[in-house]
Every structure is written in structure tokens, then in C-alpha cells.
Amino acid sequence: MRRSTSSSTAKNNIYLVIGVIILITLFCCSLFVGKFPLSLSKILEGDELQTNIFWTLRFSRTLVGLLGGFSLGIAGFVYQTIFRNPLASPDIIGVSSGASAGAAFGILFFSGTVSVTLSSFGGALISVILAILFSRLDRSDRKSTIILAGIAVHSLAQTFLMILKTMADPEKELASIEYWIMGSLNGVNSHAISINLILCLVCLAVLFMMHRQTLLLSQDEAEARLLGVNVSKMRFVILIISTLVVSSVVSLTGLISFVGLLAPHISRRLTGDNTKKTMFFTGITGGIILLLADMLARSVAQTELPVSIFTSLIGAPFLVFLIFRRRDKI
């Protein structure tokens, strides 16, 4: 048993190191991918144009790609653990759609990054609360209930979004709203990311500190209560923090699909457990997925494509695979 545990730990450490190396490599490559060619030698020489583009646009965009993917991966890990459903993720249960609708509401009626972030969080929070309330209408405690509730919430968020689009100015606000819906890192710059990144880092730190409580919530509620856990209160707190993570990312990047679904499954499949190290590996995997998708979005066509095109090309077939594989368990 000790040999098996030691071997598993060593294997997981190797996966973690490889993941970090891949993430750092993609981070460095992403800094120099784009329509405007950057030269490391010119940046080091102090070329003003190259330096400004590097720090204001490329570095900021790459940093958001890394941290955004990391955050969405962690949020997906938390949602799947708490809801005890392998299909639960920010986009599947309607949280991302709610955050996008909230961001659109902020664009239409307020102004400024802070207002849009707060509106995005409000929309995401309303969505997760509605999903929980709808799922409780089914007393059978089936794992599929939260997914069906999420589909309903997603539909409601999309309806609200369509109403907002009909109210928007076609020449100004509508274009901004459409940008959020498509999901892109194109508009990211150093002037708009500070508050969101700080918010992400603080919430991620709290989620890692609450990893034990998250795992306890994945057990039967009666067992969790016997261990001294206030299930309802703890679930609500962790969901709020996870939702705040998602909204802070979505308010910067728009709706990015399937990262929160793919990353936890990949990391759990490789590590075979649900430890804090697996949770961290999930974040690394999410960062790799989003950085790679963003690099493809910038380079495969003459015009930049939405990031969600590339995450959906992988995520949609994977979702179908999960549904058919687990159709008797969810």
C-alpha cells in the first residue's frame, strides 16, 4: 500500500512539473504571437513602440489567458465536486451565461470596469441561486437535476440577453455586447485588468484554503453534518466565491465555453484523485487550454477569431462523450 501511494504521488508530481513546463512555454510563446511582429532584441533595446505593445497589450492579454484559464478550471473543479456531477461547470449550469447577461446589463446601464464586473457577478450569482432552487424542486436527488436546472437558467439568461440587445444602441452598446458573447481576449489591456486579477487571486486563495470543506460537501449531506459541517451555509459560501471567480474572468473576456468542464476531467483522469494537488493541476490545465486556444484564435486566420470556437471544438464532443458514457449514472 505504501509503495502504491508513493508511486502515485511521484506520478502526480511528474504530471504537475510537466504541466507547469508546458504552461510556462505557452505563456512565453503567447507573448510573441499576433499580427504585429514583436522582437525580443528590440524590446530589450528599449524600442518604444515594441515595448508599449509588449507590456500594454501582449503581456496583459497573456496574463489574463493564464489566470483566466486557471480560474475557470478551478471553478469547474469546485462545481463538479460540490454538485457531485461530472457535467457541472460554469457554462453548463448557466453561471457563465448569467455572468455575460450581467455584463451586458452593466454595459447598457452603467460604465466602467468596476460596474461591469459587479453586474457580471450579480448575473452569475442570480444564475447559480436559480439553478440550486430549480434543482431542489426535484426531490429524487438525481445528479442530472442540476444540469437540467442549468439548462433552464441558461435559457432564461439568453432570453434576458436578447431583450438587452434589442434595447442597445446598434452603433455603440450592441457591438460591445456582441463582443462579450463571442468571448475573446482581444480587448484586454493593462488599464482594465488590475481589479479583476486581484479579485481572482484573492478568491482562488480562499478556495484553496477551503479545499477540505469542498471535499466534505461532495459526501452525503448526513455524513457531512456528522463531521460538523453546516452544509447549506458552507455550500453557499463556496459557491459565491467560485461564482465571483467566474464573473471576474467573464467580465474581462466574455463567454468562454468548456474550459471549466474539460480541465477538471483531464486532471482527474491523469492523477486519479481529488486532492489539493489535483485541484492545482486542474488550474494549470485550464491555463494551458485557454492560452493555446487564444494563440490559435490569433494565428489561424487573417482576422482574429473568438476563443470559444477553439474551446468548443474540443469541449462539445467531449461533453457528448461524457453524457453517453455516464447516461446511467447522472
Side-chain angles (χ1 to χ4, degrees), residues 17-40:
V17 170
I18 293 173
V20 170
I21 292 172
I22 294 173
L23 186 65
I24 292 173
T25 302
L26 288 175
F27 184 90
C28 294
C29 292
S30 177
L31 294 172
F32 296 93
V33 173
K35 300 304 177 185
F36 187 88
L38 291 181
S39 168
L40 181 59

Side-chain angles (χ1 to χ4, degrees), residues 111-120 195-196:
S111 61
T113 304
V114 175
S115 298
V116 173
T117 301
L118 291 175
S119 297
S120 177
I195 295 175
N196 297 67

Side-chain angles (χ1 to χ4, degrees), residues 12-224:
N12 292 348
N13 288 338
I14 291 172
Y15 284 138
L16 195 60
V17 170
I18 293 173
V20 170
I21 292 172
I22 294 173
L23 186 65
I24 292 173
T25 302
L26 288 175
F27 184 90
C28 294
C29 292
S30 177
L31 294 172
F32 296 93
V33 173
K35 300 304 177 185
F36 187 88
L38 291 181
S39 168
L40 181 59
S41 60
K42 289 184 178 180
I43 293 172
L44 294 176
E45 290 171 2
D47 183 285
E48 186 176 353
L49 178 60
Q50 295 257 337
T51 303
N52 285 338
I53 291 175
F54 179 85
W55 289 110
T56 305
L57 299 178
R58 292 284 174 82
F59 183 80
S60 301
R61 177 175 185 155
T62 301
L63 184 62
V64 169
L66 187 155
L67 189 58
F70 190 96
S71 301
L72 292 174
I74 296 298
F77 180 95
V78 172
Y79 284 131
Q80 288 176 15
T81 303
I82 287 181
F83 291 123
R84 291 176 289 167
N85 193 308
L87 300 180
S89 68
D91 38 308
I92 300 298
I93 66 173
V95 176
S96 294
S97 297
S100 294
F105 183 85
I107 291 170
L108 198 58
F109 295 104
F110 304 103
S111 61
T113 304
V114 175
S115 298
V116 173
T117 301
L118 291 175
S119 297
S120 177
F121 171 65
L125 184 59
I126 291 171
S127 295
V128 76
I129 291 174
L130 286 175
I132 293 172
L133 291 176
F134 289 166
S135 66
R136 287 183 176 177
L137 296 176
D138 184 357
R139 301 295 182 181
S140 64
D141 197 32
R142 291 178 299 177
K143 291 183 179 181
S144 60
T145 303
I146 189 64
I147 304 302
L148 297 175
I151 293 172
V153 171
H154 172 77
S155 299
L156 289 174
Q158 290 300 307
T159 301
F160 182 63
L161 193 56
M162 285 189 286
I163 293 172
L164 292 175
K165 287 167 68 174
T166 60
M167 298 169 60
D169 183 344
E171 296 182 1
K172 296 180 182 179
E173 297 150 342
L174 184 58
S176 298
I177 291 173
E178 290 291 351
Y179 165 80
W180 290 106
I181 296 171
M182 289 190 297
S184 174
L185 275 66
N186 186 37
V188 172
N189 60 68
S190 60
H191 306 298
I193 66 174
S194 56
I195 295 175
N196 297 67
L197 294 189
I198 292 171
L199 188 61
C200 261
L201 291 172
V202 171
C203 291
L204 288 173
V206 174
L207 287 176
F208 274 100
M209 288 189 292
M210 300 183 73
H211 174 262
R212 179 178 172 275
Q213 289 85 343
T214 301
L215 288 184
L216 287 174
L217 291 174
S218 68
Q219 306 300 318
D220 183 80
E221 288 194 13
E223 293 180 13

